[in-house]
Amino acid sequence: MKRMIASDLHGSLVYCRKLLELLQKENAQELILLGDLVFSGSYDPLYEFNPQGVMDLLNAHAGQVLAVEGNCDWGIQQLSPQFPFYRKYRLETWEGREVFLTHGHRYSPRNPPPMGMARVMLSGHTHRPDFRQMGDLVCVNPGSVSLPRGGSPHSCLVWEDGLLRWLTLEGQEFHRERLP
């Protein structure tokens, strides 16, 4: 299965639209959102901060979306998400690998999940793309859809058959890694 993984939309209609266009272009079956979906964004008019508008766009794809809570997602239930939205973390099995989905403010490479719980941890929060092997755990960050840091592009990640590809929202690949 082809999955698109993204984090830190922070209520931007502009970047949410770009993400959903890329989801369609990549023909990914699932969109995994690692928190900070609708709140604490930029008020720059070019950013189009609109929490309810972002939720409406995501709800239109509810059958494809799974999300975990971020540190800026307080009150998100008032916007009526129509897709699975998990608090703290979600444990999944993909391609025979236990995958720990989290935002990154509770669990991160600095504070990983309990040993042996997962082989891969996907987290956002830092707004920077990352890949690192920490013993038996691979820690992966897709970067930020809307507010990238450290000179990184607006980005997301595509996971398919153990291959991870970091893409700009325009669809340009800028990094790839194969899971062990």
Side-chain angles (χ1 to χ4, degrees):
M1 178 180 289
K2 191 174 196 179
R3 294 174 173 92
M4 183 168 283
I5 299 135
S7 188
D8 299 285
L9 283 76
H10 287 287
S12 172
L13 272 176
V14 169
Y15 293 109
C16 185
R17 282 187 200 109
K18 287 183 178 191
L19 177 68
L20 293 172
E21 288 168 9
L22 186 57
L23 176 73
Q24 184 176 16
K25 180 180 171 188
E26 283 290 319
N27 199 28
Q29 288 80 36
E30 285 187 342
L31 176 60
I32 309 301
L33 298 173
L34 302 175
D36 286 359
L37 307 184
V38 293
F39 297 125
S40 297
S42 170
Y43 297 106
D44 182 327
L46 297 175
Y47 182 88
E48 291 185 49
F49 180 69
N50 184 334
Q52 187 63 62
V54 168
M55 185 58 68
D56 292 345
L57 287 175
L58 295 175
N59 281 341
H61 295 270
Q64 290 179 275
V65 176
L66 178 151
V68 294
E69 175 188 57
N71 60 303
C72 294
D73 286 328
W74 36 263
I76 195 169
Q77 296 302 331
Q78 295 173 347
L79 300 179
S80 302
Q82 308 278 313
F83 46 85
F85 187 81
Y86 298 95
R87 299 199 71 218
K88 298 182 183 175
Y89 69 89
R90 171 78 177 164
L91 195 59
E92 296 268 313
T93 301
W94 297 348
E95 301 169 2
R97 295 175 179 90
E98 293 298 317
V99 181
F100 190 88
L101 308 172
T102 190
H103 178 59
H105 64 296
R106 289 186 178 99
Y107 298 98
S108 68
R110 292 183 183 166
N111 183 36
M115 191 177 233
M117 190 173 197
R119 304 280 291 157
V120 179
M121 180 177 67
L122 295 172
S123 65
H125 188 58
T126 66
H127 296 227
R128 297 170 192 244
D130 194 22
F131 179 93
R132 62 178 86 175
Q133 181 85 39
M134 296 178 52
D136 290 338
L137 182 67
V138 176
C139 300
V140 181
N141 190 317
S144 175
V145 169
S146 65
L147 297 167
R149 293 183 183 149
S152 63
H154 298 268
S155 65
C156 64
L157 175 71
V158 173
W159 169 318
E160 185 177 26
D161 298 326
L163 179 64
L164 305 178
R165 296 183 303 122
W166 282 259
L167 303 176
T168 67
L169 295 185
E170 291 74 34
Q172 298 298 310
E173 182 180 309
F174 64 92
H175 189 75
R176 68 172 39 204
E177 295 281 349
R178 177 146 309 268
L179 289 170

